[in-house]
């Protein structure tokens, strides 16, 4: 029923803003090498073309939970199925998949990104402010895959570590632990989020001092797939993160290993994890960030040891989420004299452009 | 016609070795999280099950160019299509894809690996000797994504750098430049090849001294997709590799920057590149390796400056390729007093288990 309402709302907005579709489509920047489709145009429409000559029905579902509606493709004479979205998509990155004769598959033209507990197709509507995460001719940091031992989960686990271009293994740097959302994994912040490029550009422009970012898998072991948040145990992840990964990173990288120089932030479910773990272990993290992942309020800090109050609190979401809640929470914290910042990403929903922009803002607040 | 002959040969061998299929199938190790299918059994049969209730025909194509034949899936009562290969697959990694109603898609249950100029599905038949590339509780090196400037191609390009666990940025190490095959990219040696785990295990067992491995994209700019080798220009890649990437790596990593401590090797097309580039630039690389990628002969060295003869030459292939050519080339080189080694991977074809085993051997020969 919720799905129906969303689609109805989308249809209404399409009527209200009906416009001529410009025929300036170009191959999407996230396409597999040499692939022409999917395409996007200058207005943000997406066009799909997929070969399946004997299929009965082909449909493209866009956005988390179909939030950008479905696009039925029509069969063309050459055995392809083709179709254009009924409305422009929001700027930024969107997950999607293709339903072919009742089965769920990916668009063979697009690259894949892990979201919704599966490798989904991805499409990017170029944003007007895309420059801040563009790949430029500036000094580039590295993204390192590390493998660390996790006795609590009896596994060897993977994380990615962004080290800035100036990293030399000697000069000690602050560290941000940055979490993905539900159904995503430790690849999301680099692949979908361009966290490394955002950092490279901020550092090159002198807007921030270099710091390290660590990204690991937050849906620790006891998540029942398909069970949603219900089956998720924050404590298991807290143990992996705080008692296993943080010591590994502090041992193997040049870090300033204290709470004043250690931050945690996360998007969506990663924000819920951040809220939970920072309040449980304030002695570990001194800077706290929730990206489309809830709020902190003055109540959270009233009974806290004054020495463990965070140095800074960052909260954000897209303007199409609950911006009022973010703005109110930030105002309440500021009124109570906490160092808090609220940020609302204009024109975006619960998607990665919101979080790219949030990281851009957060990075300029933390560790100062 | 070639395709037909291969399939006919496979059918014949299936008849000859007909055996009862054991019902001990388990989810494949390369499946996406939480996915039950595809499955493999202890004999090496693969079983696929894919949802597509309205489809007319679903077929699985296995191996490069369908070398492992096709498996027609049959529709089951619950809207899935299911089928088991008609013969066991070779041990090791295989690319595959699914043809649904005439279109090419991936199996939604499997993870994807870049090969054949597309992200393909992957399946792994556990090898009897898989221990040498297993993820174990030993010190692990990192795999770092680097971004380097390439004036010759007017682009910023990506490479992956394996640094061993002992890497501290001070102790200088030798470097192996290791190339993927046609249609693959710089992710192949880590994802399909487990190069990092092979190195971690060799180092932990004291079988080799630590060295660095650099992997970058070898199908440089002027390849026409679908054109095969014909459109490929080795010179363009030589410039990127030798004049742009090698200096970047020597500047940003602790390397011993001379030919005695710099090697090049590659698989398949990467072997062709290695052969071409090492002979053109012997002053840069002192150790040369061809993995299912041709041979060197004494003729190659006769007119060469004696000071630029390679310190060691490694050549390999699978026993189902042209082992005689490898054995003869190695014997000829040894007879002419060159330090050469031939290696034949038993029971494997032009696939990644051949190359994992080859790297395991090569790593124990180079830099000694």
């Amino acid at each position: 029923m919720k799905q129906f309402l969303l689609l109805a709302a989308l249809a209404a907005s399409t009527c209200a803003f009906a416009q001529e579709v410009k025929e300036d489509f170009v191959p999407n920047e996230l396409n597999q090498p040499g692939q022409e489709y999917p395409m996007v145009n200058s207005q943000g429409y997406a066009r799909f073309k997929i070969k399946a000559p004997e299929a009965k029905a082909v449909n493209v579902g866009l956005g988390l939970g179909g939030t950008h509606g479905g696009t039925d493709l029509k069969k063309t004479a050459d055995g392809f199925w083709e179709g254009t979205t009924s409305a422009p998509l929001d700027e930024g990155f969107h997950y999607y998949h293709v339903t072919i004769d009742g089965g769920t598959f990916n668009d063979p033209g697009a690259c894949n990104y892990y979201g919704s507990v599966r490798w989904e197709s991805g499409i990017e509507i170029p944003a007007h402010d895309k420059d801040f995460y563009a790949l430029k001719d500036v000094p580039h940091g590295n993204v390192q895959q590390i493998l660390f031992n996790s006795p609590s989960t009896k596994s060897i686990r993977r994380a990615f570590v962004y080290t800035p271009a100036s990293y030399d293994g000697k000069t000690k740097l602050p560290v941000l632990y940055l979490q993905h959302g539900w159904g995503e994994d430790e690849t999301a912040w680099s692949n979908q989020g361009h966290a490394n490029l955002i950092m490279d550009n901020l550092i090159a422009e002198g807007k921030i001092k270099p710091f390290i970012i660590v990204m690991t898998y937050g849906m620790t072991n006891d998540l029942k797939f398909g069970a949603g948040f219900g089956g998720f145990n924050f404590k298991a992840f807290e143990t992996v993160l705080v008692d296993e990964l943080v010591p590994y990173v502090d041992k193997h990288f040049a870090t300033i290993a204290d709470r004043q120089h250690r931050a945690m932030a996360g998007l969506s479910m990663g924000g819920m994890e951040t809220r939970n773990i920072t309040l449980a272990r304030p002695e570990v993290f001194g800077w706290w960030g929730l990206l489309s992942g809830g709020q902190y309020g003055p109540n959270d800090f009233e009974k806290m040891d004054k020495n463990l109050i965070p140095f800074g609190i960052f909260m954000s979401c897209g303007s199409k989420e609950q911006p009022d809640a973010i703005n109110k929470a930030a105002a309440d914290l500021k009124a109570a004299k906490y160092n808090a910042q609220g940020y609302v990403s204009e024109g975006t929903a619960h998607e990665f452009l919101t979080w790219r922009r949030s990281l851009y803002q957060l990075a300029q607040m933390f560790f100062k």
Side-chain angles (χ1 to χ4, degrees), chain A:
Chain A
M1 188 61 188
K2 192 183 172 196
Q3 177 80 352
F4 173 77
L5 288 174
L6 280 166
L7 291 176
L10 189 67
S13 78
T14 307
C15 280
F17 300 101
Q19 57 181 344
E20 199 162 329
V21 178
K22 288 186 187 167
E23 285 302 325
D24 58 356
F25 286 88
V26 295
N28 192 240
E29 60 190 87
L30 304 185
N31 287 3
Q32 294 194 28
Q35 295 293 318
E36 200 178 0
Y37 286 87
M39 290 190 164
V40 297
N41 81 351
S42 60
Q43 299 161 297
Y45 285 89
R47 180 169 288 170
F48 304 92
K49 189 173 180 181
I50 293 167
K51 186 182 174 188
E54 302 297 323
K56 282 184 196 160
V58 180
N59 173 281
V60 172
L62 273 151
L64 271 179
T67 41
H68 287 275
T71 300
D72 287 327
L73 307 190
K74 285 181 183 160
K75 196 169 179 181
T76 61
D78 56 356
F80 285 78
W81 291 75
E82 189 175 329
T84 305
T85 53
S86 60
L89 303 176
D90 286 348
E91 293 183 333
F93 176 87
H94 309 286
Y95 295 109
Y96 74 101
H97 54 253
V98 185
T99 304
I100 300 164
D101 289 346
T104 302
F105 300 93
N106 285 336
D107 185 339
C111 281
N112 301 321
Y113 299 85
Y114 197 69
S116 305
V117 198
R118 70 182 297 275
W119 285 91
E120 291 260 279
S121 298
I123 193 166
E124 178 83 26
I125 306 298
H128 70 280
D129 58 344
K130 65 184 176 181
D131 187 69
F132 78 87
Y133 53 85
L135 176 62
K136 299 182 196 176
D137 186 12
V138 298
H140 290 289
N142 298 349
V143 178
Q144 311 195 23
Q145 174 191 280
I146 64 169
L147 299 171
F148 65 100
N149 202 0
S150 167
S152 74
T153 60
K154 296 185 178 60
S155 64
I156 296 164
R157 305 182 72 84
R158 182 168 77 162
F160 290 100
V161 179
Y162 167 81
T163 51
S166 64
Y167 182 78
D168 61 5
K170 289 178 290 235
T171 311
K172 293 184 175 183
L173 299 177
V175 184
L176 165 63
Y177 290 80
L178 185 60
Q179 289 305 126
H180 59 82
W182 183 87
E184 296 172 340
D185 69 9
E186 65 274 23
T187 63
W189 267 109
S190 300
N191 288 352
Q192 291 95 301
H194 302 315
N196 55 324
L197 301 179
I198 292 169
M199 291 293 291
D200 289 345
N201 292 336
L202 278 168
I203 294 166
E205 290 170 19
K207 288 184 173 159
I208 65 168
K209 289 184 183 165
F211 60 85
I212 292 167
I213 300 181
V214 177
M215 301 154 278
T216 197
Y217 185 56
M219 295 171 75
T220 306
N221 67 318
D222 57 354
L223 176 72
K224 292 281 182 293
F225 288 98
F229 295 125
F232 191 75
N233 183 345
F234 288 119
K235 199 72 193 172
F237 179 58
E238 178 186 320
T239 300
V240 170
L241 181 74
V242 177
D243 301 321
E244 297 173 342
L245 180 55
V246 168
Y248 184 94
V249 169
D250 284 338
K251 183 178 175 189
H252 290 86
F253 291 85
T255 65
I256 312 176
D258 61 33
R259 67 186 292 273
Q260 189 163 359
H261 300 90
R262 194 184 295 119
M264 180 174 183
L267 72 88
S268 192
M269 181 198 75
M272 293 170 58
E273 292 175 332
T274 298
R275 192 177 190 289
N276 201 285
I277 293 172
T278 51
L279 287 167
R281 308 289 289 270
E283 76 282 7
V284 179
F285 303 101
W287 302 82
W288 304 359
L290 309 181
L291 288 55
S292 305
Q295 302 89 36
Y296 297 99
N299 288 348
D300 290 317
F301 304 114
E302 277 170 12
K303 293 182 186 164
M304 189 180 282
D305 179 342
K306 290 289 168 274
N307 295 319
L308 297 178
I309 299 291
F311 298 100
I313 300 155
F314 180 90
M315 299 172 294
S316 71
C317 72
S319 66
K320 297 184 178 184
E321 300 189 84
Q322 291 87 33
D324 293 349
I326 293 294
N327 289 331
K328 180 179 185 307
D332 288 351
L333 286 172
K334 284 177 191 170
K337 307 292 181 197
Y338 296 106
N339 179 25
Q341 183 181 331
Y343 169 73
V344 174
S345 165
E346 198 52 46
T348 62
H350 199 72
E351 294 191 297
F352 246 105
L353 186 54
T354 299
W355 306 318
R356 290 176 190 159
R357 289 175 177 165
S358 296
L359 177 60
Y360 181 78
Q361 297 296 331
L362 173 156
Q364 297 179 69
M365 178 196 192
F366 279 14
F367 307 125
K368 280 183 180 163

